[in-house]
Amino acid sequence: MKASYLKEEHDILRNSIKRFLEKEAYPYFQEWEEKQMIPRSFWKKMGEQGFLCPWLDEKYGGYEADFGYSVVINEELEKVGTGLIGIGLHNDIVVPYLYHYGTEAQKNKWLAKCASGDIITAIAMTEPGAGSDLASIRTSAQLSDDNYLVNGEKTFITNGIHADLIVIVCKTDSKISPPYRGISLLVVERDTGGFSRGKQLNKLGLHSQDTAELIFQDAKVPRDNLLGKPGEGFYYLMDQLQQECLIVAIGGISASERMLEITVNYVKQRKAFGQSIASFQNTQFTLAELQTEVEIGRTFLDRTIEAHMNGEDVVQEVSMAKWWITELVKKVAAACMHLHGGYGYMEEYEIARRYRDAPVTAIYAGSNEIMKSIIAKKMGLH
């Protein structure tokens, strides 16, 4: 069933980005996985085609497109590989912070380059000793004349190597209680003195996605790079949580659909005991059950996306979608790899990569335990 929020213009976009990816991504994706990096030239090509931040105002280089465009772009990127998640992060998670909380001067300085691919963004929340518990972050930013002096470390940062602009979550007031009221957002630029990148992290999956450690040692960040108001950072993060989790859920359902597609094709061709694997009842029941769950997930997700596009508060539903769908991704990956038999464990088969890439979706953008805590709070269970 086609989602009601998808119109003719979204179909035109889907056909356009499909053709683009067939030429510019699919033939090279395995190479990017092996090199553990997506080239900046691909980002530039995405920008030239209007696939970066199309929702931005025209004066900032966008097309004022609705969120349906973001859905289509993220779905088609996910069909290539989950390693392209950094583009969705840039388009629909980081740049919205700049747009919603930035000054006009900040917007004029950065947004058009975000849309063209000249600027790649990242957001730095996680630290070696603090993940989902943002109130426990230790990275500090002390105001000194017209600069903030930033000290601390961030880790697991998506786009960490490529990023030209990094929105960092830091403490501008370490004495205030409760601690989350001391959190602010600062924008750190690539050439900032005292800022360096650690090693690119060697991950189990998402090999083509550049993930890195970031180190700040008396990094001098101009006062003008404060995003919004000091001490308001935690509230900004919570305001944007809805869309961030939605992006992960969209990728998850798209990955599940892709894994089912390649597995159905495989079991029809693969023979055992003189007949196709698809003819065995166990195969049929397994895939029928998975198809049902994916359809249920897709239907709930589409309804939630539509509510989000209408400006409704659907934090509870988005949290439900994020945890349920990312658990489903792991289930689909395991079952589909098993149905591939020994070949499923071979790197030349896409399902092997999908199996590696699936688990982290239940961890990033707030672990699934955090999602359940949010749902419980919305239910009045706190």
Side-chain angles (χ1 to χ4, degrees), residues 5 67 303-313:
Y5 62 83
F67 186 70
R303 192 185 77 181
T304 306
I305 289 169
E306 189 165 3
H308 176 69
M309 290 174 69
N310 290 334
E312 296 176 34
D313 179 349

Side-chain angles (χ1 to χ4, degrees), residues 177-190:
S177 182
Y180 67 81
R181 291 179 61 196
I183 291 175
S184 301
L185 303 183
L186 281 179
V187 182
V188 178
E189 298 174 81
R190 172 177 282 281

Side-chain angles (χ1 to χ4, degrees), residues 34-320:
E34 291 167 4
K35 290 184 175 179
Q36 300 202 347
M37 190 72 70
I38 294 159
R40 287 186 73 101
S41 58
F42 179 72
W43 284 82
K44 281 290 292 176
K45 289 172 184 174
M46 287 281 292
E48 288 164 6
Q49 295 298 316
F51 300 142
L52 296 181
C53 312
W55 52 269
L56 280 171
D57 297 346
E58 285 187 24
K59 65 178 178 177
Y60 302 130
Y63 301 98
E64 300 182 25
D66 66 20
F67 186 70
Y69 278 65
S70 295
V71 175
V72 170
I73 290 168
N74 281 292
E75 286 177 348
E76 294 306 319
L77 289 171
E78 177 59 52
K79 288 175 188 176
V80 181
T82 314
L84 289 169
I85 188 68
I87 295 172
L89 177 102
H90 168 86
N91 280 355
D92 302 304
I93 297 174
V94 187
V95 177
Y97 281 100
L98 303 176
Y99 179 78
H100 289 298
Y101 310 116
T103 63
E104 197 58 36
Q106 289 171 334
K107 292 178 185 180
N108 287 329
K109 183 179 180 183
W110 295 322
L111 290 182
K113 290 183 179 179
C114 291
S116 68
D118 290 299
I119 283 179
I120 295 173
T121 64
I123 186 163
M125 301 187 201
T126 306
E127 299 181 359
S132 296
D133 181 11
L134 287 174
S136 297
I137 64 164
R138 300 180 66 180
T139 297
S140 65
Q142 298 300 318
L143 195 56
S144 175
D145 297 325
D146 285 332
N147 295 293
Y148 283 97
L149 292 180
V150 181
N151 286 282
E153 291 183 27
K154 298 291 184 179
T155 193
F156 310 142
I157 306 306
T158 303
N159 296 343
I161 299 296
H162 274 327
D164 307 291
L165 278 187
I166 302 159
V167 176
I168 66 162
V169 181
C170 56
K171 287 268 182 77
T172 49
D173 186 344
S174 58
K175 296 177 182 175
I176 198 168
S177 182
Y180 67 81
R181 291 179 61 196
I183 291 175
S184 301
L185 303 183
L186 281 179
V187 182
V188 178
E189 298 174 81
R190 172 177 282 281
D191 56 358
T192 299
F195 162 54
S196 61
R197 297 164 212 260
K199 62 186 178 185
Q200 181 170 345
L201 300 172
N202 192 20
K203 307 184 297 297
L204 171 67
L206 304 185
H207 288 168
S208 54
Q209 203 293 303
D210 59 303
T211 309
E213 300 170 324
L214 307 179
I215 302 157
F216 305 92
Q217 297 173 304
D218 283 334
K220 291 181 74 172
V221 179
R223 186 176 193 161
D224 289 344
N225 282 25
L226 176 72
L227 204 55
K229 298 177 182 177
E232 295 287 309
F234 185 79
Y235 300 105
Y236 299 154
L237 292 166
M238 291 304 99
D239 283 346
Q240 297 303 311
L241 178 70
Q242 177 165 305
Q243 184 156 305
E244 181 175 357
C245 293
L246 205 48
I247 293 299
V248 177
I250 290 164
I253 209 71
S254 191
S256 298
E257 290 167 347
R258 173 62 184 161
M259 287 187 284
L260 276 177
E261 179 188 8
I262 60 177
T263 304
V264 167
N265 290 336
Y266 178 81
V267 298
K268 287 177 180 178
Q269 296 164 11
R270 177 73 172 161
K271 288 187 165 45
F273 304 103
Q275 60 193 95
S276 72
I277 296 173
S279 66
F280 293 118
Q281 192 179 63
N282 178 70
T283 303
Q284 295 171 2
F285 283 10
T286 298
L287 291 173
E289 289 169 11
L290 293 175
Q291 183 69 47
T292 302
E293 290 186 67
V294 169
E295 283 292 331
I296 290 168
R298 167 59 78 181
T299 304
F300 180 76
L301 180 62
D302 281 342
R303 192 185 77 181
T304 306
I305 289 169
E306 189 165 3
H308 176 69
M309 290 174 69
N310 290 334
E312 296 176 34
D313 179 349
V314 284
V315 168
Q316 179 172 332
E317 290 82 356
V318 165
S319 302
M320 290 172 173

